[in-house]
Amino acid sequence: MPKKGGKHAEMGKEIQTQCKRAKVEAESSASIMSFESPDSLFGSLISPIKQEVFFREYWEQKPLLVQRNDPTLAAYYQSLFQLSDLKELCSQGLYYGRDINICRCVNGRKKVLNKEGKANYMQLKKDFDQKKATIQFHQPQRFKEELWAIQEKLECYFGSLVGSNVYITPQGSQGLPPHYDDVEVFILQLEGEKHWRLYKPTVHLAREYNVESEDIIGNPTHEFILKPGDLLYFPRGTIHQADTPLGIAYSTHVTISTYQNNSWGDFLLDAIPGLVFDTAKEDVALRRSIPRQLLMQVDIADSTKKMSSLLRRLADRLENTSELRSSDMKKDFIMNRLPPCLGCDSDVLTPGGKLPKIDSKIRLQFRDHAVITVEPDQENSVSITKLPLYTLCGSARRETHMMGAEDDSTSEERTTQQTHGLRFPLSYLDALKQIWSSSTVYVKELTLTSDAEKVNLALSLWTECLIEVV
């Protein structure tokens, strides 16, 4: 087992020194999570740190430790997931590998102790008690409504997919070796205590997961104990490891992660092909042929100069472009994000109330889930710039959220869902934006040519429960 970097009982002043810029004492200042809006949810998650301070001083820069002494918040966190939840969840049919991993860090390496097939609660407890193994539960938001509510709001807040994993580790044990991740990480301590050590990144804002040898990571930059109600944030690339101290029966925490493959580099790879395609239709320089045998040449100095010139032309066009079309990132987010967490208010998914008429005042529902996106005309690709269609898209199913690859039948089903939505001609764009950006708007004030078009648009959105009459 890796060295612990000193006795826990002697941390005291040392921790205060190591963490003084990342640590916040928040006794009695933290509030229960607020679900009024994505903004209020994130604000309550990192409270008492202000959001502007968080993004100015911590986001993608350095860890933030919020240590609270708030029984109310600690109790709320414990509702997100507990060791006692496993027994009931195992009865629903959990599988090793897909839903649960059993692992332990031995001599700096991860040892996986998974069995085959369905997970059995008694076997899990046996491995937990006798082998000191960590139970890793994948994407618990699929089963726990409280996490569903949090992650759905965070996806709206960040505009990026948000996943989670629960880690339950017995005393005197460690589940994973020192490693770094390719995601922004928020740790919520649910039960027991966890001893954490963070190290200087070897790859700043890393794009992939990697295990690091204890021989090269040096001394921790931060070392502390998380207790129920505490929160820890650290940027992708931060090397970390954690264990449950002796004397603590077990620790349960949930790792909430976001911003995987969501960098400027990813966006450029996604958006530049569309920019090149559109520009080439108007700029003959991009339609000229490449030099003969360019693909077989070793010395391409002249060609790189030409390519630099073309990239500058693209940059000039980009500065005058009102919309930059995302090819895959936006589609992936729309189709794989969590649906709204409605609780008992599922009636809002069924058309009801007054039918919209020309004099009706209407309001958009699920504003944070409504996305207006460009879709090319698939029937006539030549008309792509003349007749683009705009689609108001919905969300994916909770049960498959963040679960990776799908089999062919599921993929076909999801493709069918993806094509479902409301498509309108370009002439409806201003009216759609009007509805999206206004708190309320009268149907008669929609920027369309005729009253029939205005009512038709309102009825179409009402039928899909995207608007209500107020």
Side-chain angles (χ1 to χ4, degrees), residues 325 331 373-378 387-391 393 423:
R325 193 166 69 236
K331 183 185 297 183
T373 186
V374 179
E375 291 288 342
D377 184 351
Q378 298 178 8
L387 295 172
L389 298 175
Y390 287 78
T391 309
C393 298
R423 295 176 180 269

Side-chain angles (χ1 to χ4, degrees), residues 34-197:
S34 169
F35 290 88
E36 291 182 8
S37 68
D39 189 77
S40 69
L41 183 279
F42 185 73
S44 64
L45 185 72
I46 63 170
S47 173
I49 295 294
K50 301 299 183 184
Q51 295 179 54
E52 59 270 21
V53 174
F54 174 78
F55 285 104
R56 184 177 66 244
E57 298 184 12
Y58 296 98
W59 177 256
E60 292 191 330
Q61 298 173 65
K62 63 183 180 181
L64 167 68
L65 172 63
V66 179
Q67 292 184 309
R68 301 182 173 108
N69 183 19
D70 189 330
T72 2
L73 192 55
Y76 174 78
Y77 274 12
Q78 288 168 5
S79 72
L80 302 182
F81 203 99
Q82 299 180 54
L83 175 60
S84 57
D85 290 327
L86 275 179
K87 189 171 185 178
E88 178 187 349
L89 290 174
C90 282
S91 68
Q92 298 181 27
L94 305 179
Y95 287 83
Y96 285 104
R98 185 191 73 180
D99 303 303
I100 284 181
N101 270 340
I102 308 299
C103 56
R104 184 177 181 185
C105 177
V106 179
N107 297 323
R109 295 187 177 185
K110 177 182 176 181
K111 184 177 181 181
V112 179
L113 305 172
N114 286 354
K115 306 295 187 295
E116 294 291 333
K118 285 187 179 181
N120 177 278
Y121 176 73
M122 296 307 295
Q123 181 63 54
L124 289 179
K125 278 290 290 175
K126 183 178 178 181
D127 290 336
F128 184 78
D129 294 331
Q130 297 180 10
K131 297 183 179 180
K132 299 297 182 183
T134 288
I135 300 172
Q136 180 187 23
F137 195 100
H138 297 306
Q139 309 304 338
Q141 71 276 9
R142 296 176 294 142
F143 302 93
K144 297 291 288 184
E145 189 163 307
E146 295 91 339
L147 278 169
W148 174 16
I150 289 175
Q151 290 175 232
E152 177 247 317
K153 284 288 190 291
L154 288 178
E155 287 187 337
C156 294
Y157 183 82
F158 286 111
S160 177
L161 295 177
V162 175
S164 66
N165 282 304
V166 164
Y167 296 87
I168 309 173
T169 303
Q171 67 171 320
S173 184
Q174 179 169 327
L176 300 174
H179 67 280
Y180 58 78
D181 297 298
D182 59 346
V183 286
E184 300 295 303
V185 171
F186 296 86
I187 306 286
L188 307 183
Q189 186 66 24
L190 310 181
E191 299 179 298
E193 299 178 4
K194 204 69 174 280
H195 167 222
W196 282 84
R197 285 159 292 161

